[in-house]
């Protein structure tokens, strides 16, 4: 992967609906060259998909919580992660270092729904306890990290 690929990735992270022609104008390549490069990035698993960014509140998911999950001493992390993946309320799951084994981001409609979800999390085999942080407001999330591509474009090498 070279600087051109990184610039294509950065542009797609900003606007996943950009046409190959639009990307080509931004990057300085022909549409066909961009198409070929994007195809290779998809084939090699660098680009794993495209999705719509939706305002959670507008679809009835007004409560967001970050929940730290403490595992039991005998918990199998793969089993816990698989069980977490089965819960539709769990939007993101991170295996972390520190006191907790996992941190999950949960979105639900109401605080009552959050309480129900917490009960479900605590019933997962291998979960000892949880610690919940309720999100009051979201300043930004899902922001593309283009710092590496920007640094290479600007000639900033580490």
């Amino acid at each position: 992967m070279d600087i051109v690929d990184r610039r294509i990735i950065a542009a797609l992270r900003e606007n996943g609906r950009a046409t190959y022609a639009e990307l080509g104008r931004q990057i300085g390549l022909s549409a066909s060259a961009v198409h070929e490069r994007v195809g290779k990035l998809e084939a090699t698993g660098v680009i794993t998909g495209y999705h719509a960014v939706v305002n959670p509140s507008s679809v009835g998911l007004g409560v967001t919580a970050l929940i730290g999950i403490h595992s039991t001493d005998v918990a199998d992390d793969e089993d816990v992660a698989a069980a977490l993946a089965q819960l539709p309320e769990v939007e993101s799951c991170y295996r972390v270092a520190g006191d907790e084994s996992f941190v999950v981001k949960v979105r639900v409609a109401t605080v009552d729904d959050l309480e129900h979800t917490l009960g479900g999390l605590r019933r997962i085999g291998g979960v000892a306890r949880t610690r919940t942080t309720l999100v009051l407001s979201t300043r930004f999330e899902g922001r593309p990290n283009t710092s590496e591509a920007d640094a290479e474009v600007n000639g900033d090498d580490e």
Side-chain angles (χ1 to χ4, degrees):
M1 184 166 30
D2 62 11
I3 184 61
V4 175
D5 289 335
R6 292 183 193 286
R7 291 181 65 203
I8 290 170
I9 291 165
L12 283 171
R13 291 188 74 191
E14 287 289 330
N15 179 9
R17 295 183 62 152
T19 66
Y20 295 126
E22 291 169 336
L23 291 170
R25 281 190 292 278
Q26 280 184 267
I27 307 302
L29 295 175
S30 68
S32 61
V34 171
H35 181 265
E36 181 180 332
R37 283 180 173 260
V38 169
K40 286 180 183 176
L41 291 168
E42 291 170 344
T44 58
V46 174
I47 296 175
T48 59
Y50 301 86
H51 68 278
V53 178
V54 177
N55 178 338
S57 294
S58 69
V59 294
L61 300 174
V63 177
T64 302
L66 304 174
I67 303 169
I69 297 173
H70 297 261
S71 297
T72 63
D73 291 338
V74 295
D76 181 296
D77 288 342
E78 294 304 319
D79 291 344
V80 173
L84 292 169
Q86 295 303 308
L87 299 175
E89 304 89 349
V90 175
E91 184 175 292
S92 301
C93 176
Y94 307 97
R95 175 76 170 97
V96 296
D99 292 338
E100 298 156 337
S101 299
F102 295 94
V103 173
V104 295
K105 179 168 63 172
V106 168
R107 291 197 199 270
V108 292
T110 66
V111 173
D112 287 340
D113 292 334
L114 177 59
E115 183 178 13
H116 177 76
T117 299
L118 288 169
L121 287 172
R122 292 183 187 121
R123 285 189 295 277
I124 292 173
V127 172
R129 62 189 169 91
T130 61
R131 184 185 56 81
T132 303
T133 301
L134 191 62
V135 175
L136 299 177
S137 66
T138 301
R139 304 307 173 152
F140 61 86
E141 70 180 347
R143 180 174 66 169
N145 180 346
T146 60
S147 59
E148 189 173 327
D150 291 342
E152 289 182 24
V153 169
N154 294 324
D156 300 335
D157 293 324
E158 293 184 15

